[in-house]
Amino acid sequence: MSRALVIVLDSVGIGGAEDATVYGDAGADTMGHIAEACAEGRGNHAGLRQGPLNLPHMTALGLGLACEASTGRLPPNLAPQAPLKGAWGYGVETSNGKDTPSGHWEITGVPVTFDWGYFPDTVPSFPAELTKALIEKAKLPGILADKHASGTAVIDEYGAEHMRTGKPICYTSVDSVLQIAAHEETFGLQKLYDLCKIARELCDPYNIGRVIARPFVGSAEEGFKRTGNRKDFAVFPPSDTILDTLVKAGRSVVTVGKIGDIFAHRSTGEEIKPHGNDACLSAAIDAMRNLPDGGFVFANLVDFDTEFGHRRDIPGYAAALEAFDRRVPEIEAALRAGDLVIITADHGNDPSWRGTDHTREHTPILAFGPGVKTGEIGRRESFADIGATVLAHLKVSAAGKGKAWL
């Protein structure tokens, strides 16, 4: 019996979607602009990386061709140099929004057709009744920030005051999210999680997709740094995803990284949540080695987004892509006859773009494995085609969105 692995390279978009103008993202192109920057020397960083973008394994899977199909432009140094080893195409998001739940839910067959709630880009940003209830229920001395902000900048701005007063740092963005940052040691990690659970309930009437705990350490003198103990408190998907379908069919499911949080821990099977891209990829590869027939591994590699996209760090993003590419042969070595791997993304986060938010983009779809037919799978009119293909490959039938390309 076949097995399947889906790896989401969080935020690795490949060109502005047709509706990108609606989101202020016309012209955004995460992969294309990174490749161009590296070709021009803007991706160089002493001790980190130098020269043109070097992704030989993903290029052989069709990454450059997927970019060209999406935008009409072949990014520098992404032209295949040998016969292709995979099937390639690109996905078009139909969901409302350009954030993590929308992208992941659509991948698993549940596009977001409703409108998320958002907090306005004002100061204060949160409704007074929400702030009042949060302070009262959590017995807080108050909150700090209460505005749209970059996660790293807001900690630098309010970290010292937070440690002095005990007031958590609450902020948002263009996404449907309330983020709460607090010091792991002086405030306490479990206290932060408990606070986010209260905020999650209070955000439900506003239809906010996620409340995110953003723990950090450090001091004003030595600088503050976010830790890997982030935790997302999401709402449930509105209908059954392929995860639900597979669990009901008795199949083994393993989720790696923040997948469990994104799906509110519903039908997420064995959850493994290490810190960092490398550790998450290692966990996914190990899971594939041990996965029984008919099983499914679903992994998210978040560092592309959180560490480099939001921080507009082109060299860091390029280095992370190259680090992942070097490990593609390890993925291939863990496969058995009949296995399918799909590499994709959930949205864009162009590090050359204005602001610090996600970008509305097409996403790559690279499929490979022993026996997988190589060649173009074309433009997929919904990310849900990925989930439909996984179910078809695993021979599990279910009514839902998406069309399999198998």
Side-chain angles (χ1 to χ4, degrees):
M1 189 182 293
S2 303
R3 308 180 304 166
L5 164 64
V6 171
I7 302 174
V8 179
L9 308 184
D10 200 306
S11 85
V12 181
I14 58 170
E18 287 74 10
D19 60 358
T21 302
V22 176
Y23 296 85
D25 295 329
D29 183 359
T30 299
M31 182 60 69
H33 289 159
I34 291 171
E36 290 170 0
C38 291
E40 296 167 2
R42 292 182 289 115
N44 294 343
H45 187 284
L48 181 63
R49 68 163 315 280
Q50 298 287 323
L53 190 62
N54 184 30
L55 306 175
H57 301 295
M58 283 196 286
T59 298
L61 294 174
L63 176 60
L65 298 178
C67 293
E68 184 179 34
S70 169
T71 66
R73 305 183 310 277
L74 179 65
N77 305 295
L78 293 187
Q81 302 300 309
L84 290 178
K85 298 171 60 179
W88 56 272
Y90 68 95
V92 179
E93 185 169 15
T94 64
S95 293
N96 294 333
K98 54 177 180 176
D99 58 4
T100 296
S102 297
H104 283 76
W105 291 0
E106 185 168 339
I107 287 170
T108 57
V110 183
V112 174
T113 58
F114 58 85
D115 290 325
W116 292 109
Y118 299 94
F119 296 117
D121 191 2
T122 57
V123 181
S125 187
F126 304 119
E129 62 272 17
L130 172 61
T131 302
K132 182 175 183 291
L134 183 63
I135 291 171
E136 289 178 352
K137 288 181 179 293
K139 297 180 173 57
L140 299 172
I143 67 170
L144 300 173
D146 198 351
K147 62 181 180 180
H148 281 229
S150 157
T152 51
V154 79
I155 292 171
D156 290 337
E157 183 177 359
Y158 293 101
E161 185 178 356
H162 158 70
M163 293 178 71
R164 186 176 66 253
T165 64
K167 298 177 181 179
I169 305 167
C170 300
Y171 61 104
T172 187
S173 69
V174 297
D175 293 333
S176 181
V177 65
L178 189 163
Q179 305 196 64
I180 305 179
H183 199 283
E184 278 196 8
E185 297 159 358
T186 63
F187 191 85
L189 186 59
Q190 188 57 53
K191 184 179 177 181
L192 173 59
Y193 292 161
D194 292 341
L195 171 59
C196 287
K197 290 177 183 177
I198 294 171
R200 172 67 273 165
E201 293 181 3
L202 294 173
C203 283
D204 285 348
Y206 299 93
N207 202 28
I208 300 301
R210 286 181 295 166
V211 173
I212 305 178
R214 291 287 197 176
F216 64 95
V217 293
S219 65
E221 294 74 25
E222 298 179 357
F224 297 110
K225 181 179 181 181
R226 295 196 298 199
T227 74
N229 292 318
R230 161 188 172 156
K231 188 173 179 62
D232 294 35
F233 297 81
V235 295
F236 288 115
S239 59
D240 279 2
T241 69
I242 68 165
L243 298 175
D244 298 300
T245 300
L246 290 170
V247 167
K248 290 176 182 177
R251 300 301 180 88
S252 177
V253 171
V254 181
T255 53
V256 181
K258 66 176 185 176
I259 298 294
D261 289 349
I262 295 167
F263 290 86
H265 310 284
R266 190 180 80 193
S267 298
T268 46
E270 178 187 357
E271 295 185 10
I272 307 172
K273 195 176 182 182
H275 298 163
N277 276 3
D278 254 4
C280 284
L281 183 55
S282 293
I285 293 171
D286 287 344
M288 280 300 290
R289 292 194 182 106
N290 300 311
L291 191 69
D293 288 344
F296 177 53
V297 178
F298 192 17
N300 172 283
L301 306 185
V302 74
D303 286 358
F304 300 108
D305 186 55
T306 59
E307 298 300 315
F308 311 112
H310 285 302
R311 300 186 187 196
R312 297 303 187 245
D313 180 353
I314 293 174
Y317 208 131
L321 287 166
E322 291 169 340
F324 172 79
D325 189 83
R326 287 192 292 270
R327 300 195 63 187
V328 170
E330 292 181 51
I331 302 171
E332 295 172 328
L335 303 181
R336 301 200 298 249
D339 286 349
L340 169 68
V341 179
I342 299 174
I343 297 173
T344 188
D346 53 343
H347 51 70
N349 200 341
D350 187 342
S352 72
W353 204 243
R354 56 184 173 272
T356 59
D357 295 312
H358 296 153
T359 44
R360 178 78 165 186
E361 297 185 46
H362 296 148
T363 59
I365 301 176
L366 310 177
F368 64 99
V372 173
K373 184 179 179 180
T374 62
E376 184 177 4
I377 60 172
R379 172 189 170 100
R380 311 309 302 186
E381 294 299 339
S382 170
F383 293 179
D385 287 8
I386 296 169
T389 300
V390 168
L391 291 182
H393 179 75
L394 297 179
K395 296 180 171 54
V396 176
S397 60
K401 304 291 184 181
K403 296 180 180 179
W405 62 77
L406 293 177

